[in-house]
Coordinates of all heavy atoms in Angstrom, one line a residue:
D1 N 3.9 10.7 -14.8 CA 4.6 9.7 -14.0 C 4.8 10.1 -12.6 O 5.1 11.2 -12.3 CB 5.9 9.3 -14.7 CG 5.7 8.6 -16.0 OD1 4.6 8.1 -16.3 OD2 6.6 8.5 -16.8
R2 N 4.7 9.1 -11.7 CA 5.0 9.3 -10.3 C 6.0 8.3 -9.7 O 6.0 7.2 -10.3 CB 3.7 9.2 -9.5 CG 2.5 10.1 -9.9 CD 2.8 11.5 -9.6 NE 1.7 12.4 -9.8 CZ 1.5 13.1 -10.9 NH1 2.3 13.0 -11.9 NH2 0.5 13.9 -11.0
D3 N 6.7 8.7 -8.7 CA 7.5 7.7 -8.0 C 7.5 8.0 -6.5 O 7.1 9.1 -6.1 CB 8.9 7.5 -8.6 CG 9.8 8.7 -8.2 OD1 9.4 9.6 -7.5 OD2 11.0 8.6 -8.5
Y4 N 7.9 7.0 -5.7 CA 8.0 7.2 -4.3 C 8.8 6.1 -3.7 O 9.0 5.0 -4.2 CB 6.6 7.3 -3.5 CG 5.7 6.2 -3.8 CD1 5.7 5.0 -3.0 CD2 4.8 6.2 -4.9 CE1 4.8 4.0 -3.3 CE2 3.9 5.2 -5.1 CZ 4.0 4.1 -4.3 OH 3.1 3.1 -4.6
T5 N 9.4 6.4 -2.5 CA 10.2 5.5 -1.8 C 9.5 5.3 -0.4 O 9.1 6.4 0.2 CB 11.7 5.9 -1.5 OG1 12.3 6.1 -2.8 CG2 12.5 5.0 -0.7
V6 N 9.3 4.1 0.1 CA 8.6 3.9 1.3 C 9.5 3.3 2.4 O 10.4 2.5 2.1 CB 7.3 3.1 1.2 CG1 6.3 3.9 0.3 CG2 7.5 1.8 0.6
R7 N 9.2 3.6 3.6 CA 9.8 2.9 4.8 C 8.7 2.0 5.3 O 7.6 2.4 5.5 CB 10.2 3.9 5.9 CG 10.8 3.2 7.1 CD 11.2 4.1 8.2 NE 12.3 4.9 7.6 CZ 12.4 6.3 7.7 NH1 11.5 7.0 8.4 NH2 13.4 6.9 7.3
I8 N 9.1 0.7 5.6 CA 8.1 -0.3 6.0 C 8.4 -0.8 7.4 O 9.5 -1.1 7.7 CB 8.0 -1.4 5.0 CG1 7.7 -0.9 3.6 CG2 7.1 -2.5 5.4 CD1 7.8 -2.0 2.5
H9 N 7.4 -0.9 8.2 CA 7.4 -1.5 9.5 C 6.4 -2.6 9.5 O 5.3 -2.5 9.0 CB 7.1 -0.5 10.6 CG 8.0 0.7 10.6 ND1 9.2 0.7 11.2 CD2 7.8 1.9 10.0 CE1 9.7 1.9 11.1 NE2 8.9 2.6 10.3
F10 N 6.8 -3.8 10.1 CA 5.8 -4.9 10.1 C 5.9 -5.6 11.4 O 6.9 -5.5 12.1 CB 5.9 -5.8 8.9 CG 7.3 -6.4 8.8 CD1 7.6 -7.6 9.3 CD2 8.3 -5.7 8.1 CE1 8.9 -8.2 9.2 CE2 9.5 -6.2 7.9 CZ 9.8 -7.5 8.5
G11 N 4.9 -6.4 11.8 CA 4.9 -7.1 13.0 C 3.7 -8.0 13.2 O 2.9 -8.2 12.2
R12 N 3.5 -8.5 14.4 CA 2.4 -9.4 14.7 C 1.9 -9.0 16.0 O 2.6 -8.7 17.0 CB 3.0 -10.8 14.7 CG 2.0 -11.8 15.0 CD 2.6 -13.2 15.1 NE 2.2 -13.9 13.9 CZ 2.6 -15.1 13.6 NH1 3.5 -15.7 14.3 NH2 2.1 -15.7 12.5
R13 N 0.6 -9.1 16.2 CA -0.1 -8.9 17.4 C -1.1 -10.1 17.6 O -2.1 -10.1 16.9 CB -0.9 -7.6 17.4 CG -1.5 -7.2 18.8 CD -2.1 -5.8 18.8 NE -1.9 -5.0 17.6 CZ -2.8 -4.6 16.7 NH1 -4.1 -5.0 16.9 NH2 -2.5 -3.9 15.7
G14 N -0.7 -11.1 18.3 CA -1.4 -12.3 18.4 C -1.4 -13.0 17.1 O -0.4 -13.2 16.5
K15 N -2.6 -13.3 16.6 CA -2.7 -13.9 15.3 C -2.8 -12.9 14.1 O -2.7 -13.3 12.9 CB -3.9 -14.8 15.2 CG -3.9 -16.0 16.1 CD -5.1 -16.9 16.0 CE -5.0 -18.1 16.9 NZ -6.1 -19.0 16.7
I16 N -2.9 -11.7 14.4 CA -3.0 -10.6 13.4 C -1.6 -10.2 13.0 O -0.8 -9.8 13.8 CB -3.8 -9.5 13.9 CG1 -5.2 -9.9 14.2 CG2 -3.8 -8.3 12.9 CD1 -6.1 -8.9 14.9
R17 N -1.3 -10.2 11.7 CA -0.1 -9.6 11.2 C -0.4 -8.2 10.6 O -1.5 -8.0 10.0 CB 0.5 -10.5 10.1 CG 1.0 -11.8 10.7 CD 1.5 -12.7 9.6 NE 1.8 -14.0 10.1 CZ 3.0 -14.6 10.0 NH1 4.0 -14.0 9.4 NH2 3.2 -15.8 10.5
W18 N 0.5 -7.3 10.7 CA 0.3 -6.0 10.2 C 1.5 -5.4 9.5 O 2.7 -5.9 9.7 CB -0.1 -5.0 11.3 CG 0.9 -5.0 12.5 CD1 0.9 -5.7 13.6 CD2 2.0 -4.1 12.6 NE1 1.9 -5.4 14.4 CE2 2.7 -4.4 13.8 CE3 2.6 -3.2 11.7 CZ2 3.9 -3.8 14.2 CZ3 3.8 -2.5 12.1 CH2 4.4 -2.9 13.3
L19 N 1.3 -4.4 8.7 CA 2.4 -3.8 8.0 C 2.0 -2.3 7.8 O 0.8 -2.0 7.5 CB 2.5 -4.4 6.6 CG 3.6 -3.8 5.6 CD1 4.1 -4.9 4.8 CD2 3.0 -2.8 4.8
R20 N 2.9 -1.4 8.1 CA 2.7 0.0 8.0 C 3.8 0.6 7.0 O 4.9 0.1 7.1 CB 2.8 0.8 9.3 CG 1.6 0.6 10.2 CD 1.7 1.5 11.4 NE 3.1 1.8 11.9 CZ 3.6 1.3 13.0 NH1 2.9 0.5 13.8 NH2 4.8 1.6 13.3
Y21 N 3.4 1.6 6.2 CA 4.4 2.2 5.4 C 4.2 3.7 5.3 O 3.1 4.1 5.4 CB 4.4 1.5 4.0 CG 3.2 1.7 3.2 CD1 3.0 2.8 2.4 CD2 2.1 0.8 3.3 CE1 1.8 3.0 1.7 CE2 1.0 1.0 2.6 CZ 0.8 2.1 1.8 OH -0.4 2.3 1.1
D22 N 5.3 4.4 5.1 CA 5.3 5.8 4.9 C 6.2 6.2 3.8 O 7.3 5.7 3.7 CB 5.8 6.5 6.2 CG 4.9 6.2 7.4 OD1 3.8 6.8 7.4 OD2 5.3 5.4 8.2
A23 N 5.8 7.1 2.9 CA 6.7 7.6 1.9 C 7.7 8.5 2.5 O 7.4 9.3 3.4 CB 5.9 8.4 0.8
L24 N 8.9 8.4 2.0 CA 10.0 9.3 2.5 C 10.2 10.5 1.6 O 10.2 10.4 0.3 CB 11.3 8.5 2.4 CG 11.4 7.2 3.3 CD1 12.7 6.5 3.1 CD2 11.1 7.5 4.7
A25 N 10.3 11.7 2.2 CA 10.5 12.9 1.4 C 12.0 12.9 0.9 O 12.2 13.5 -0.2 CB 10.3 14.1 2.3
H26 N 12.9 12.3 1.6 CA 14.3 12.3 1.2 C 14.8 10.8 1.3 O 14.3 10.1 2.1 CB 15.1 13.2 2.1 CG 14.6 14.6 2.1 ND1 14.7 15.4 1.1 CD2 13.9 15.2 3.1 CE1 14.1 16.6 1.4 NE2 13.6 16.5 2.7
G27 N 15.7 10.5 0.5 CA 16.2 9.1 0.4 C 15.7 8.4 -0.8 O 14.9 8.9 -1.5
G28 N 16.2 7.2 -1.0 CA 15.8 6.4 -2.2 C 16.5 6.9 -3.4 O 17.5 7.7 -3.3
P29 N 16.1 6.5 -4.5 CA 16.7 6.9 -5.8 C 16.6 8.4 -6.0 O 15.7 9.0 -5.6 CB 16.0 6.1 -6.9 CG 15.2 5.1 -6.2 CD 15.0 5.5 -4.8
K30 N 17.5 8.9 -6.8 CA 17.5 10.3 -7.2 C 16.2 10.6 -8.0 O 15.9 9.7 -8.8 CB 18.7 10.6 -8.0 CG 19.1 12.0 -8.1 CD 20.4 12.2 -8.9 CE 21.1 13.4 -8.5 NZ 22.3 13.6 -9.2
Q31 N 15.6 11.7 -7.8 CA 14.4 12.1 -8.6 C 14.8 12.3 -10.0 O 15.8 12.9 -10.3 CB 13.8 13.3 -8.0 CG 12.4 13.6 -8.6 CD 11.7 14.7 -7.9 OE1 12.2 15.2 -6.9 NE2 10.6 15.1 -8.4
R32 N 14.0 11.7 -10.9 CA 14.2 11.8 -12.4 C 13.4 13.0 -13.0 O 12.3 13.3 -12.5 CB 13.8 10.5 -13.1 CG 14.6 9.3 -12.6 CD 14.1 8.1 -13.3 NE 12.6 8.0 -13.2 CZ 11.9 6.9 -13.5 NH1 12.5 5.9 -13.9 NH2 10.6 6.9 -13.4
P33 N 14.0 13.6 -14.0 CA 13.3 14.7 -14.6 C 12.0 14.3 -15.2 O 11.9 13.2 -15.8 CB 14.3 15.2 -15.8 CG 15.6 14.6 -15.4 CD 15.3 13.4 -14.5
G34 N 10.9 15.1 -15.1 CA 9.6 14.8 -15.6 C 8.8 13.8 -14.8 O 7.7 13.4 -15.2
V35 N 9.3 13.3 -13.6 CA 8.6 12.4 -12.7 C 8.3 13.1 -11.4 O 9.2 13.7 -10.8 CB 9.4 11.1 -12.5 CG1 8.7 10.2 -11.5 CG2 9.7 10.4 -13.8
V36 N 7.1 13.1 -11.0 CA 6.7 13.8 -9.8 C 7.0 12.9 -8.6 O 6.6 11.7 -8.6 CB 5.2 14.2 -9.8 CG1 4.8 14.8 -8.4 CG2 4.9 15.1 -10.9
R37 N 7.7 13.3 -7.6 CA 8.0 12.6 -6.4 C 6.9 12.7 -5.4 O 6.5 13.8 -5.0 CB 9.3 13.1 -5.8 CG 9.8 12.5 -4.5 CD 10.1 11.0 -4.5 NE 11.0 10.6 -5.6 CZ 12.3 10.4 -5.5 NH1 12.9 10.6 -4.4 NH2 13.0 9.9 -6.5
V38 N 6.2 11.6 -5.1 CA 5.1 11.6 -4.1 C 5.7 11.5 -2.7 O 6.4 10.5 -2.4 CB 4.2 10.4 -4.4 CG1 3.1 10.3 -3.4 CG2 3.6 10.5 -5.8
T39 N 5.4 12.4 -1.9 CA 5.9 12.4 -0.5 C 4.8 12.3 0.5 O 5.1 11.9 1.7 CB 6.7 13.7 -0.2 OG1 5.8 14.8 -0.4 CG2 7.9 13.8 -1.1
N40 N 3.6 12.5 0.1 CA 2.5 12.3 1.1 C 1.7 11.0 0.7 O 0.7 11.0 0.0 CB 1.5 13.5 1.0 CG 0.4 13.4 2.1 OD1 0.5 12.6 3.0 ND2 -0.6 14.2 2.0
H41 N 2.3 9.9 1.2 CA 1.7 8.6 0.9 C 2.0 7.7 2.1 O 3.1 7.5 2.5 CB 2.3 8.0 -0.4 CG 1.8 6.6 -0.7 ND1 0.5 6.2 -0.5 CD2 2.5 5.6 -1.3 CE1 0.4 5.0 -1.0 NE2 1.6 4.6 -1.4
W42 N 0.9 7.2 2.7 CA 1.1 6.3 3.9 C 0.0 5.4 3.9 O -1.1 5.6 3.3 CB 1.2 7.1 5.2 CG 0.1 8.0 5.5 CD1 -0.1 9.3 5.1 CD2 -1.1 7.7 6.2 NE1 -1.3 9.8 5.5 CE2 -2.0 8.8 6.2 CE3 -1.6 6.5 6.8 CZ2 -3.2 8.8 6.8 CZ3 -2.8 6.5 7.4 CH2 -3.6 7.6 7.4
G43 N 0.2 4.3 4.6 CA -0.9 3.3 4.8 C -0.5 2.1 5.6 O 0.5 2.1 6.2
S44 N -1.5 1.2 5.7 CA -1.3 0.0 6.5 C -2.1 -1.2 6.0 O -3.1 -1.0 5.3 CB -1.7 0.3 8.0 OG -3.1 0.5 8.1
W45 N -1.6 -2.4 6.2 CA -2.2 -3.6 5.9 C -2.4 -4.3 7.2 O -1.6 -4.3 8.1 CB -1.4 -4.5 5.0 CG -1.3 -4.1 3.6 CD1 -0.4 -3.3 3.0 CD2 -2.2 -4.6 2.5 NE1 -0.7 -3.2 1.6 CE2 -1.8 -4.0 1.3 CE3 -3.4 -5.4 2.5 CZ2 -2.5 -4.2 0.1 CZ3 -4.0 -5.6 1.3 CH2 -3.5 -5.0 0.2
Q46 N -3.6 -5.1 7.3 CA -3.8 -6.0 8.4 C -4.3 -7.3 7.8 O -5.1 -7.3 6.9 CB -4.9 -5.4 9.3 CG -5.2 -6.2 10.5 CD -6.4 -5.7 11.3 OE1 -7.5 -6.0 11.0 NE2 -6.1 -4.8 12.3
F47 N -3.7 -8.4 8.3 CA -4.0 -9.7 7.9 C -4.5 -10.5 9.1 O -3.7 -10.7 10.0 CB -2.8 -10.4 7.2 CG -2.3 -9.6 6.0 CD1 -1.2 -8.8 6.2 CD2 -2.9 -9.7 4.8 CE1 -0.7 -8.1 5.1 CE2 -2.4 -9.0 3.7 CZ -1.3 -8.2 3.9
R48 N -5.7 -11.1 9.0 CA -6.2 -11.8 10.1 C -6.8 -13.1 9.6 O -7.6 -13.2 8.7 CB -7.4 -11.0 10.8 CG -8.0 -11.6 12.0 CD -9.0 -10.7 12.7 NE -9.8 -9.9 11.8 CZ -11.0 -10.3 11.4 NH1 -11.6 -11.4 11.8 NH2 -11.7 -9.5 10.6
P49 N -6.4 -14.3 10.3 CA -6.9 -15.6 9.8 C -8.4 -15.7 10.2 O -8.8 -15.2 11.2 CB -6.1 -16.6 10.6 CG -5.5 -15.8 11.8 CD -5.4 -14.4 11.4
I50 N -9.1 -16.3 9.3 CA -10.6 -16.5 9.5 C -10.9 -18.0 9.1 O -10.0 -18.6 8.4 CB -11.5 -15.5 8.7 CG1 -11.2 -15.6 7.2 CG2 -11.3 -14.1 9.3 CD1 -12.1 -14.7 6.4
K51 N -12.0 -18.4 9.4 CA -12.5 -19.8 9.0 C -11.5 -20.8 9.4 O -11.0 -21.7 8.6 CB -12.8 -19.9 7.6 CG -14.0 -18.9 7.2 CD -14.5 -19.2 5.8 CE -15.7 -18.3 5.6 NZ -16.3 -18.5 4.3
G52 N -11.0 -20.7 10.7 CA -10.1 -21.7 11.2 C -8.7 -21.7 10.6 O -8.0 -22.7 10.6
G53 N -8.3 -20.5 10.0 CA -7.0 -20.4 9.4 C -7.0 -20.8 8.0 O -6.0 -20.8 7.3
R54 N -8.2 -21.2 7.4 CA -8.2 -21.6 6.0 C -8.3 -20.5 5.0 O -8.0 -20.6 3.9 CB -9.4 -22.6 5.8 CG -9.3 -23.9 6.5 CD -10.4 -24.9 6.2 NE -11.7 -24.3 6.1 CZ -12.5 -24.1 7.1 NH1 -12.1 -24.5 8.3 NH2 -13.7 -23.6 7.0
Q55 N -8.6 -19.3 5.6 CA -8.7 -18.1 4.8 C -8.1 -16.9 5.5 O -7.9 -17.0 6.8 CB -10.2 -17.8 4.4 CG -10.8 -18.8 3.5 CD -12.2 -18.4 3.1 OE1 -12.7 -17.4 3.5 NE2 -12.8 -19.3 2.3
T56 N -7.9 -15.8 4.8 CA -7.3 -14.6 5.5 C -8.2 -13.4 5.1 O -8.5 -13.2 4.0 CB -5.9 -14.4 5.0 OG1 -5.1 -15.5 5.3 CG2 -5.3 -13.2 5.7
F57 N -8.5 -12.7 6.2 CA -9.1 -11.4 6.0 C -8.0 -10.3 5.8 O -7.1 -10.3 6.7 CB -10.0 -11.0 7.2 CG -10.6 -9.7 7.1 CD1 -11.8 -9.4 6.4 CD2 -10.0 -8.6 7.8 CE1 -12.3 -8.1 6.3 CE2 -10.5 -7.3 7.8 CZ -11.7 -7.1 7.0
A58 N -8.0 -9.6 4.8 CA -7.0 -8.5 4.5 C -7.7 -7.2 4.4 O -8.7 -7.0 3.8 CB -6.2 -8.8 3.3
R59 N -7.1 -6.2 5.1 CA -7.6 -4.8 5.1 C -6.5 -3.9 4.7 O -5.4 -4.0 5.3 CB -8.1 -4.5 6.5 CG -8.6 -3.0 6.6 CD -9.1 -2.7 7.9 NE -10.4 -3.3 8.1 CZ -11.0 -3.6 9.2 NH1 -10.4 -3.2 10.4 NH2 -12.1 -4.2 9.3
L60 N -6.7 -3.0 3.8 CA -5.8 -2.0 3.4 C -6.4 -0.6 3.7 O -7.5 -0.4 3.4 CB -5.5 -2.1 1.9 CG -4.7 -0.9 1.3 CD1 -3.3 -0.8 1.8 CD2 -4.7 -1.1 -0.2
H61 N -5.6 0.2 4.3 CA -6.0 1.6 4.5 C -4.8 2.5 4.0 O -3.7 2.2 4.4 CB -6.2 1.9 6.0 CG -6.5 3.4 6.3 ND1 -7.7 3.9 6.2 CD2 -5.6 4.4 6.6 CE1 -7.7 5.2 6.4 NE2 -6.4 5.5 6.7
M62 N -5.1 3.4 3.1 CA -4.0 4.2 2.5 C -4.5 5.6 2.2 O -5.7 5.8 1.9 CB -3.4 3.6 1.3 CG -4.2 3.6 0.1 SD -3.2 3.0 -1.3 CE -3.6 4.2 -2.5
V63 N -3.5 6.5 2.2 CA -3.7 7.9 1.8 C -2.6 8.3 0.9 O -1.4 8.0 1.2 CB -3.7 8.8 3.0 CG1 -3.8 10.3 2.6 CG2 -4.9 8.5 4.0
M64 N -2.9 8.9 -0.3 CA -1.9 9.3 -1.2 C -2.3 10.6 -1.9 O -3.4 10.7 -2.4 CB -1.7 8.2 -2.3 CG -0.6 8.7 -3.3 SD -0.5 7.5 -4.7 CE 0.6 6.3 -4.1
D65 N -1.4 11.6 -1.8 CA -1.5 12.8 -2.5 C -0.7 12.6 -3.8 O 0.5 12.6 -3.7 CB -1.1 14.0 -1.7 CG -1.2 15.3 -2.4 OD1 -1.5 15.3 -3.6 OD2 -1.0 16.3 -1.7
L66 N -1.3 12.6 -5.0 CA -0.5 12.3 -6.2 C 0.4 13.5 -6.6 O 1.3 13.3 -7.4 CB -1.5 12.0 -7.3 CG -2.3 10.7 -7.2 CD1 -3.3 10.6 -8.2 CD2 -1.3 9.5 -7.2
G67 N 0.1 14.7 -6.0 CA 1.0 15.8 -6.4 C 0.8 16.2 -7.8 O 0.1 15.6 -8.6
G68 N 1.5 17.2 -8.2 CA 1.5 17.7 -9.6 C 0.1 18.2 -10.0 O -0.6 18.7 -9.1
T69 N -0.3 18.1 -11.2 CA -1.5 18.6 -11.7 C -2.5 17.5 -12.2 O -2.7 17.4 -13.4 CB -1.2 19.6 -12.8 OG1 -0.5 19.0 -13.9 CG2 -0.5 20.8 -12.4
V70 N -2.9 16.7 -11.3 CA -3.9 15.7 -11.7 C -5.3 16.2 -11.2 O -5.4 16.5 -10.0 CB -3.6 14.4 -11.0 CG1 -4.6 13.3 -11.2 CG2 -2.2 13.9 -11.4
P71 N -6.2 16.3 -12.1 CA -7.6 16.7 -11.6 C -8.1 15.8 -10.6 O -8.0 14.5 -10.7 CB -8.4 16.7 -12.9 CG -7.5 16.7 -14.0 CD -6.2 16.1 -13.5
R72 N -8.7 16.3 -9.5 CA -9.3 15.4 -8.5 C -10.2 14.3 -9.0 O -10.2 13.2 -8.6 CB -10.0 16.3 -7.4 CG -10.5 15.5 -6.2 CD -11.0 16.4 -5.2 NE -9.8 17.1 -4.6 CZ -9.7 17.4 -3.4 NH1 -10.7 17.2 -2.6 NH2 -8.7 18.1 -3.0
W73 N -11.1 14.7 -10.0 CA -12.0 13.7 -10.5 C -11.3 12.5 -11.1 O -11.7 11.4 -11.1 CB -13.0 14.3 -11.4 CG -12.4 14.8 -12.7 CD1 -11.9 16.1 -12.9 CD2 -12.1 14.1 -13.9 NE1 -11.4 16.2 -14.2 CE2 -11.5 15.0 -14.8 CE3 -12.3 12.8 -14.3 CZ2 -11.1 14.6 -16.1 CZ3 -11.9 12.4 -15.5 CH2 -11.3 13.3 -16.4
L74 N -10.2 12.8 -11.8 CA -9.4 11.8 -12.5 C -8.7 10.9 -11.4 O -8.7 9.6 -11.5 CB -8.4 12.4 -13.4 CG -7.5 11.4 -14.2 CD1 -8.3 10.4 -15.0 CD2 -6.5 12.1 -15.0
A75 N -8.1 11.5 -10.4 CA -7.4 10.7 -9.4 C -8.4 9.8 -8.7 O -8.1 8.6 -8.4 CB -6.8 11.7 -8.4
R76 N -9.6 10.3 -8.4 CA -10.6 9.5 -7.6 C -11.2 8.4 -8.5 O -11.7 7.4 -8.0 CB -11.7 10.4 -7.1 CG -11.2 11.2 -5.9 CD -12.3 12.1 -5.3 NE -11.7 12.9 -4.3 CZ -12.3 13.1 -3.1 NH1 -13.4 12.6 -2.9 NH2 -11.7 13.8 -2.2
S77 N -11.2 8.6 -9.8 CA -11.9 7.7 -10.7 C -11.1 6.3 -10.7 O -11.7 5.3 -11.0 CB -12.0 8.2 -12.1 OG -10.7 8.3 -12.7
R78 N -9.9 6.3 -10.4 CA -9.1 5.1 -10.3 C -9.1 4.4 -9.0 O -8.6 3.4 -8.8 CB -7.6 5.4 -10.6 CG -7.4 5.7 -12.0 CD -6.6 4.8 -12.9 NE -5.9 3.7 -12.3 CZ -5.9 2.5 -12.7 NH1 -6.7 2.1 -13.6 NH2 -5.2 1.6 -12.1
G79 N -9.8 5.1 -8.0 CA -9.8 4.5 -6.7 C -10.3 3.1 -6.6 O -11.4 2.8 -7.0
G80 N -9.4 2.2 -6.2 CA -9.8 0.8 -6.0 C -9.6 0.0 -7.3 O -9.8 -1.2 -7.3
A81 N -9.3 0.6 -8.4 CA -9.2 -0.1 -9.7 C -8.1 -1.2 -9.7 O -8.2 -2.2 -10.4 CB -9.0 0.9 -10.9
D82 N -7.0 -0.9 -9.0 CA -5.9 -1.8 -8.9 C -6.1 -2.9 -7.8 O -5.2 -3.8 -7.8 CB -4.6 -1.0 -8.7 CG -4.3 -0.1 -9.8 OD1 -4.6 -0.4 -10.9 OD2 -3.7 0.9 -9.5
M83 N -7.1 -2.8 -7.0 CA -7.2 -3.7 -5.9 C -7.3 -5.2 -6.3 O -6.7 -6.1 -5.7 CB -8.4 -3.4 -5.0 CG -8.2 -2.1 -4.2 SD -6.6 -1.9 -3.4 CE -6.7 -3.3 -2.2
P84 N -8.1 -5.6 -7.4 CA -8.1 -7.0 -7.8 C -6.7 -7.5 -8.1 O -6.3 -8.6 -7.7 CB -9.0 -7.0 -9.0 CG -9.9 -5.8 -8.8 CD -9.0 -4.8 -8.1
E85 N -5.9 -6.7 -8.8 CA -4.5 -7.2 -9.1 C -3.7 -7.3 -7.9 O -2.8 -8.2 -7.8 CB -3.9 -6.2 -10.1 CG -4.4 -6.2 -11.5 CD -3.7 -5.2 -12.4 OE1 -2.5 -5.0 -12.3 OE2 -4.5 -4.6 -13.2
I86 N -3.8 -6.4 -6.9 CA -3.0 -6.4 -5.7 C -3.4 -7.7 -4.9 O -2.5 -8.4 -4.5 CB -3.3 -5.2 -4.8 CG1 -2.7 -3.9 -5.5 CG2 -2.7 -5.3 -3.4 CD1 -3.0 -2.6 -4.9
F87 N -4.7 -8.0 -4.8 CA -5.0 -9.2 -4.0 C -4.7 -10.5 -4.8 O -4.3 -11.5 -4.1 CB -6.5 -9.1 -3.7 CG -6.8 -8.3 -2.4 CD1 -7.2 -7.0 -2.5 CD2 -6.6 -8.9 -1.2 CE1 -7.4 -6.2 -1.4 CE2 -6.8 -8.1 0.0 CZ -7.2 -6.8 -0.2
A88 N -4.7 -10.5 -6.1 CA -4.3 -11.6 -6.9 C -2.8 -11.9 -6.6 O -2.4 -13.0 -6.5 CB -4.6 -11.4 -8.3
G89 N -2.0 -10.8 -6.6 CA -0.6 -10.9 -6.4 C -0.3 -11.5 -5.0 O 0.6 -12.3 -4.8
L90 N -1.1 -11.0 -4.0 CA -0.9 -11.5 -2.6 C -1.2 -13.0 -2.5 O -0.5 -13.7 -1.9 CB -1.8 -10.7 -1.7 CG -1.3 -9.3 -1.3 CD1 -2.4 -8.6 -0.5 CD2 0.0 -9.4 -0.5
A91 N -2.3 -13.4 -3.2 CA -2.7 -14.8 -3.2 C -1.6 -15.6 -3.8 O -1.3 -16.7 -3.3 CB -4.1 -15.0 -3.9
K92 N -1.1 -15.2 -4.9 CA 0.0 -15.9 -5.6 C 1.2 -16.1 -4.6 O 1.8 -17.1 -4.5 CB 0.4 -15.2 -6.8 CG 1.4 -15.9 -7.7 CD 1.6 -15.2 -9.0 CE 2.6 -15.9 -9.9 NZ 2.9 -15.2 -11.1
L93 N 1.6 -15.0 -4.0 CA 2.7 -15.0 -3.0 C 2.4 -16.0 -1.9 O 3.3 -16.7 -1.4 CB 3.0 -13.6 -2.5 CG 3.8 -12.7 -3.5 CD1 3.8 -11.3 -2.9 CD2 5.1 -13.2 -3.8
A94 N 1.2 -15.9 -1.3 CA 0.8 -16.8 -0.2 C 0.9 -18.2 -0.6 O 1.3 -19.1 0.2 CB -0.6 -16.4 0.3
G95 N 0.6 -18.6 -1.9 CA 0.7 -19.9 -2.3 C 2.1 -20.5 -2.4 O 2.3 -21.7 -2.4
R96 N 3.0 -19.6 -2.4 CA 4.4 -20.1 -2.5 C 5.0 -20.5 -1.2 O 6.0 -21.1 -1.1 CB 5.3 -18.9 -3.0 CG 5.1 -18.6 -4.4 CD 6.0 -17.5 -4.9 NE 5.7 -17.1 -6.2 CZ 6.2 -16.0 -6.8 NH1 7.0 -15.3 -6.2 NH2 5.8 -15.7 -8.0
R97 N 4.3 -20.2 -0.1 CA 4.8 -20.5 1.3 C 4.5 -21.9 1.7 O 3.6 -22.5 1.3 CB 4.3 -19.6 2.3 CG 4.8 -18.2 2.0 CD 4.6 -17.3 3.1 NE 5.8 -16.5 3.3 CZ 6.3 -16.1 4.4 NH1 5.7 -16.2 5.5 NH2 7.4 -15.4 4.4

């Protein structure tokens, strides 16, 4: 099991909205026994309207060191596996506005 606390910054540059996040080494909930605290995790999102604002282009860039004893091949095998769920969640949230 892993956990992390992130600091988020967001803003807008013209029509492009952006979000950056960084894992905090200190702060957030107290670390629990048996759970590895991830401290090397950072990334950004960029959202840009396309097709006259009827659709949105979304880009995610992230880096995460899972820490602990996870074999590299196992960590890489999940790369991108959660992306469909993440984008489905974003689409659901966007529909609420």
Side-chain angles (χ1 to χ4, degrees):
D1 289 341
R2 306 288 188 266
D3 76 355
Y4 52 90
T5 300
V6 295
R7 177 178 298 132
I8 299 173
H9 302 276
F10 56 93
R12 176 183 255 176
R13 189 175 350 115
K15 293 183 178 183
I16 298 173
R17 293 178 187 237
W18 57 267
L19 177 146
R20 288 190 324 255
Y21 63 90
D22 298 285
L24 301 176
H26 305 288
K30 195 178 212 181
Q31 190 169 355
R32 297 179 311 191
V35 177
V36 175
R37 176 65 45 100
V38 175
T39 57
N40 186 14
H41 179 34
W42 58 269
S44 63
W45 282 93
Q46 182 186 84
F47 302 97
R48 180 172 42 92
I50 58 174
K51 298 193 178 182
R54 293 185 317 276
Q55 295 181 0
T56 302
F57 173 83
R59 173 180 290 161
L60 167 64
H61 176 83
M62 72 172 226
V63 173
M64 178 187 276
D65 179 351
L66 294 172
T69 55
V70 176
R72 183 172 292 214
W73 66 266
L74 179 61
R76 289 182 183 222
S77 70
R78 289 251 342 135
D82 295 329
M83 292 312 296
E85 289 180 40
I86 290 171
F87 278 95
L90 284 170
K92 186 176 179 180
L93 286 172
R96 292 183 185 169
R97 296 194 137 210

